[in-house]
Amino acid sequence: MNNIEVVNLTKKFGDFVAINGINLEVKKGEIHAICGENGAGKSTLMNMLFGLIEPSSGQIFINGEEVHFQSPKEAIHQGIGMVHQHFKLVPSLTVYENILLGEEIVKGFKIQQRKEYEEVQKTIDHYNFDLNGKDKIQDISVGAQQRVEIIKMLHRNVDILILDEPSAVLTPQETDELLDNLIALRNSGKTIIIITHKLDEVKKCADRITVIRHGKFIGTVNNKDVNQQEIAKMMVGRDVKLDLQKEDSERGNVVLLAKNINAYSDSGSQVLYDVSMNVHEGEIVGIAGVEGNGQSFLMNALSGMLKLESGEIIYQDNSINDKSPQALRDMKIGLVPEDRYLHGLNSTMSIRDNLIAGYHWRKQFCDFGVLQQKEIAHHAKDLIERFDIRNCDNTSLEVGSLSGGNAQKIVIAREMSMNPNLLILSQPTRGVDIGSIEFIHQQIIEFRRKKKAVIVISSELSEVMTLSDRIYVMYKGRVIGERLTKQTSKEEIGVLMAGITDGEAKFGE
Amino acid sequence: MDELLIILHSTFRMTAPIALAAIGGVFAHRAGVLNVALEGMMLVGAFTGVMVSYLTGSILIAVLAAVLSSMILGLLFSVFGITLKGNVIITGLAINTIVLGLTAYILQVFFGQRGVFSNPKIIGLEPLDIPILRDIPILSDILNNQTPMVYVSLLALILAHFVLYHTKLGLYIRTVGEKEEAAYSVGLPVNKLKYISVLIGSFLCGLGGVNIALENVTMFVEDMTVGRGFIALAAIFSGQGTPIGTFIFSFLFGFADALQIRLQSLNIPGAFIQMIPFLFIVLVLTVVGIISVRGRTSRGIKNE
């Protein structure tokens, strides 16, 4: 029996057809993956199922009954719950308070905190989730926060759970845990729809896969009948190279050298211990490690956002210990920060302004303090074409209106277009779709061809392995190992990431 | 020792208006609405209280009218700042300016007074001599024989703490202020909650105005709140939006005020003495600022 049936569903925003006559059947008790590139209309489709957007035409049936949701509340009432990509949790409240938000248990005026906690912990334990109801949201990991969102829906007795890009914010370990949880939920009879473009995850957990492209239904297939290549082809509409080819690098002089850097976080704990590393011209150096082992702090230290306690960072024979990100950009270092919306972009500023942000006062764009709008618009148009940034016909629109992949392309286009000597990228393809990942990777390799230096920090091991010539592995704030990519394997790096070494000396300078 | 008790007694007296406005302001603050109109709300409360007391001779009606007038301003602030989504700072400042001008205008046009309105027909609130309390040593010197609003300010502290941390209303207000999308996603009435928060604030501001005009003195003086609404804001921020923290900072500021009054008998130029509370506030805020910045290792603006 079909839990959800969507017939000829269409959504138009003005002249733009976001969803064009889509048919979808989701069976009870299956994990159904909705795959498509960014901007294909996956989220629009799900938002219609969840009552956030009203369809222009077409029908939605839940358990054989036609429904017209006006709000998420009605959807939840009908047993449909959604976990959004950006969590809707209150950081200073506890897990149980967040889960029961709006449905508190009261006696008179007073909230029965102990009873609330017990009720919620019962649900958590019932589904065997790794959560403590009394923890505050601000103290738990992103993965745990997502589990809170899932429990929040389960506690409201939903049978159908929609997850929008659930792994976009998770570390590989957390992702595995999530997939295990989803499979367990499916086995207990829940229906799960997962929106994603990460094919390895789809292969791991889905029963059936529906692919949409440019708002159109491409097909629904059984997971066991297809391989990753085939799904990618359905999504993108052409053959996609999942493996990158790159020629050997010709190493030049040292561009950046970090010597024994130590640093503390704002909360006063040491986060970098004696980290030393270097990168040469014409070389891509990868920093691998399980998320939370100091890579973010290393990125902040290298990009001038974290003060060093001791040690030195030398760039082209000059110390850059006390330089701001702005000064570093002036010294021809391109910076692609980890969180594009926090440090990479101003999401309420226009696309074209974001394409010059950080370089906006340069003579080319700003003459006597006056922004040269014509030049800026021209520059934007040029980059959008060169970097194949989509949905950017109007460059005065807010950057926040772009999908993750396109927003990331904006950051990368901006930093690369200023022709730096060294490019430092942190999580360059997080939350980015396959087509864009392929493109960004090619750009990085093309950049190396020009004898430039690149540092790539990524928690995606496969990304580090594909791109880098040399890899440093970080563990608990230290560099625990250094390997030449050609002489190592995913397994060996994986072991290092877990903090296991046999105490051997590091590979030479 | 006696000197200290006298200063502490007068500290509670000087704290009351600041604490009332500040504890009231905590609600709007926690709901994510910056209410800079606390000043105007207090002033209108003081003015209305005095006028109604003079006209009716009933202190009860005067207090009710003071609260009502302040809440009307709260409503006005909410309509422009919340429903119509105007800039809350401009809305708040506009309210302060209007109150300042309007009270002076009414005073002059209808009562023929300039700057000060004082009349024997104005009935004020007298200090209370509380049984039991009067027999406890030390405590009676500090807390007995205070005016009603001093006790109300202590009651407000306890109630505010309870409401904010132990009731649905408080939980929802905190949710709205901290993560509005979370409130929307579970269908909480966001705007209604903001209205309630602002109105609780203006209710207490009205009482603060009564304290200033009908307890400590029984008259109205133009701009007689002299920035206490803004001092209350400083107390809220320094106290990080918790009722207890806010009260502690209100108390500190009240202490500076009490000290100032005490020192007026000394042979130091009056203008300098009157600076003490404000210098004290600058000092306190500087210390609070330094403590929060110290130990930060990331450069530039706050990241997290």
Side-chain angles (χ1 to χ4, degrees), chain A residues 162-177:
Chain A
I162 304 171
L163 296 109
D164 188 4
E165 305 270 1
S167 65
V169 289
L170 300 184
T171 63
Q173 280 73 10
E174 286 174 328
T175 304
D176 286 342
E177 204 175 326

Side-chain angles (χ1 to χ4, degrees), chain A residues 87-93 101-102 104 109-111 113 156 264-266 304-307 321-322 343, chain B residues 162 165-168 171-172 174-175 178-179 181-183 185-188 295-299 303-304:
Chain A
F87 305 144
K88 300 184 188 305
L89 300 171
V90 189
S92 74
L93 299 185
L101 192 63
E104 287 74 14
F109 285 112
K110 199 166 187 297
I111 295 176
Q113 285 166 337
R156 287 163 159 79
Y264 289 78
S265 73
D266 278 348
M305 296 198 319
L306 183 70
K307 289 179 203 156
N321 278 14
D322 291 315
H343 294 131
Chain B
F162 178 78
Y165 296 107
H166 294 281
T167 68
K168 274 190 181 191
L171 184 73
Y172 293 171
R174 287 185 288 144
T175 299
E178 202 177 325
K179 191 103 185 195
E181 310 112 77
S185 75
V186 293
L188 300 183
R296 285 220 338 244
T297 52
S298 42
R299 286 207 187 87
N303 291 312
E304 274 84 29

Side-chain angles (χ1 to χ4, degrees), chain B residues 79 194 235 250 269 281 301-302:
Chain B
V79 169
K194 287 183 178 175
S250 304
I281 290 166
I301 52 157
K302 211 171 168 181

Side-chain angles (χ1 to χ4, degrees), chain B residues 65-98:
Chain B
V67 167
L68 192 69
S69 65
S70 176
M71 288 180 80
I72 288 172
L73 284 191
L75 205 60
L76 196 70
F77 175 84
S78 304
V79 169
F80 283 100
I82 298 167
T83 307
L84 300 176
K85 298 197 192 315
N87 182 313
V88 285
I89 295 179
I90 295 172
T91 310
L93 290 178
I95 284 179
N96 290 343
T97 316
I98 289 173

